[in-house]
Amino acid sequence: MTHRPGDVVVTGVGLALPGAATPGALLRRAAAPATGPAPEPFDTAVRIGRRGHRYKDRATRLALCAALDALRDAALIPADGEELTVPGDTVGVVASSNLGNLDTACLTAAAIAERSAMDLSPMSLPNASSNVIASWVAIRHGLRGPNLMLCNGATSGLDAVHWGATLVAAGRVRRAVVIGVETHNAVVEDLLGRPADELLDGAAALVVEGARWAEARGVPAAAALGPYERRAGLTGCIEALLPGGAAPGVWFTPERYAERPAGAVPVPETVPRYDVTDAVGRSSGALGVLQCAAAVGWLTRAEAGRRAGGGTGAGDGAAFGDRAASDAGARAAPDPAAVPDPGPVPDPGPGAEVSASVPVSVEASASVPVSRQALITSGDDTADAVAGLLLRPTPARCHRPPAARAPLSAMECSR
């Protein structure tokens, strides 16, 4: 069954990757993977400082860096600070990592087996819990909404994006930080049987937000979330998302996807393909979030070209502009004091009129031609499941100044 997350948009993107600081840079690396020496590992101390390192493993530090970048990009945290500009209970966290703290868990188990639990450090022991990544992000920024950690195999990253959008659409929170992170170390390399230079050591984060709340804050969206699909096979998943063999503007393929013989390809051969793992390494639970970040870069470049009268500008293989450069006017962060997050929503009472007007509706997003949408898939036909998601440009009206806020249903979250 195809699920539509409702009026949910992407308002922030953050990356903690070697050699790719923006969605546009990630897309360029996916289009033409660099040759020569690998870039230096991402330095987490530059972004979160020494305080962010204490008693935290590598995966958690990377996640904190990407989350901070995404929160700042969404104007939820000012550029010169770390304090939220909205109530903490309006923000949830969903993180995805299959192997992030594997080294800590294995070393902890080995220490107990060889000596005893008395030799363990009480400060480092929490890192052995699989949900430590999501928990530390929430603690660091005071995000008091629902907190979820997914360790769900190849589809985990896209599943996390879906669950973040579901929390927003259900009214549990107004926005959620979705993080995908993996790192390589001796334990991970031994488990996977692959050298470090084939594995991701980085993180990506998105802020997914209700369109009405983004508009109320005066923050334009970078993309709109389309339908999400989960099937047992790749072809069935794509056919459910794009019935009738419609061709998307771009396809972000599963990890190391192998092209099939002519006639057996689930997406027309004319559609450009990108495998972000060619640029950053095998990404496991972080893949879906990385794909969404790269898709934001593609949508930004394509929409900039369309507005300039140059067509989609999407499939020419040329240098792709960064989101910050090509959409600088629309993406300028507002003054948090000038556009504060709305306070508690009053109950309009029985029979009160509730406006159906929202800045980005499912119908409005669905009217965007398929050729301007990005298809994202994780998993393959040999996996137990394949997840797919469509990412769409936001309607032009999403970039207009916010209108007066209409009364809302009491079913909405109260803060």
Side-chain angles (χ1 to χ4, degrees):
M1 178 180 179
T2 300
H3 304 276
R4 296 185 182 274
D7 307 318
V8 181
V9 296
V10 177
T11 55
V13 181
L15 296 173
L17 298 170
T22 66
L26 175 58
L27 187 67
R28 286 195 298 272
R29 287 194 60 191
T35 57
E40 291 295 320
F42 185 85
D43 186 357
T44 58
V46 172
R47 190 168 299 173
I48 59 176
R50 292 183 61 187
R51 184 169 71 92
H53 280 75
R54 297 190 66 187
Y55 310 117
K56 298 176 182 66
D57 59 12
R58 173 73 175 168
T60 299
R61 298 197 302 266
L62 287 166
L64 286 168
C65 291
L68 176 62
D69 209 21
L71 289 166
R72 284 178 172 164
D73 191 40
L76 293 169
I77 288 179
D80 58 351
E82 294 189 18
E83 296 298 323
L84 278 178
T85 59
V86 298
D89 54 3
T90 68
V91 190
V93 180
V94 183
S96 170
S97 182
N98 292 321
L99 307 166
N101 71 331
L102 180 66
D103 56 334
T104 303
C106 290
L107 293 174
T108 299
I112 294 173
E114 294 174 6
R115 297 182 295 276
S116 74
M118 298 298 294
D119 292 334
L120 300 177
S121 167
M123 301 304 297
S124 61
L125 189 58
N127 293 331
S129 173
S130 61
N131 71 334
V132 66
I133 296 170
S135 299
W136 267 122
V137 170
I139 292 169
R140 178 70 179 263
H141 299 294
L143 312 181
R144 300 192 301 275
N147 188 278
L148 304 176
M149 184 73 204
L150 274 68
C151 309
N152 203 31
T155 66
S156 189
L158 275 188
D159 294 339
V161 176
H162 167 65
W163 280 108
T166 299
L167 289 173
V168 173
R172 294 291 306 278
V173 285
R174 292 185 173 182
R175 70 250 341 148
V177 183
V178 181
I179 307 151
V181 58
E182 297 289 2
T183 186
H184 57 66
N185 50 62
V187 175
V188 173
E189 294 165 26
D190 183 62
L191 175 68
L192 300 182
R194 298 184 181 278
D197 58 3
E198 291 186 17
L199 304 174
L200 171 70
D201 182 63
L206 309 173
V207 174
V208 295
E209 185 166 7
R212 68 183 67 185
W213 309 124
E215 185 180 42
R217 295 192 302 117
V219 176
L225 294 183
Y228 161 91
E229 178 71 24
R230 188 176 174 87
R231 293 287 178 107
L234 181 63
T235 299
C237 179
I238 293 175
E239 288 177 347
L241 288 170
L242 299 171
V250 66
W251 180 23
F252 290 89
T253 68
E255 185 171 87
R256 309 302 163 95
Y257 173 74
E259 290 289 350
R260 304 175 183 182
V265 181
V267 174
E269 296 179 357
T270 55
V271 174
R273 286 133 158 85
Y274 295 95
D275 182 353
V276 298
T277 68
D278 286 338
V280 299
R282 294 179 180 270
S283 306
S284 192
L287 177 58
V289 187
L290 284 164
Q291 289 173 314
C292 288
V296 167
W298 182 87
L299 288 170
T300 299
R301 175 64 178 87
E303 289 303 292
R306 187 182 67 84
R307 291 195 297 269
T312 65
D316 55 10
F320 291 86
D322 292 347
R323 177 180 168 208
S326 60
D327 204 13
R331 293 291 306 163
D335 179 0
V339 284
D341 191 59
V345 178
D347 184 351
E353 181 179 356
V354 177
S355 171
S357 176
V358 294
V360 181
S361 67
V362 171
E363 291 76 18
S365 295
S367 67
V368 176
V370 172
S371 61
R372 289 172 53 199
Q373 301 182 36
L375 170 65
I376 303 168
T377 54
S378 295
D380 56 42
D381 285 335
T382 65
D384 292 334
V386 176
L389 176 74
L390 288 178
L391 206 62
R392 298 163 168 163
T394 55
R397 62 186 176 136
C398 184
H399 295 277
R400 297 192 311 209
R405 188 164 65 90
L408 300 176
S409 165
M411 291 297 291
E412 295 287 348
C413 56
S414 61
R415 286 184 177 269

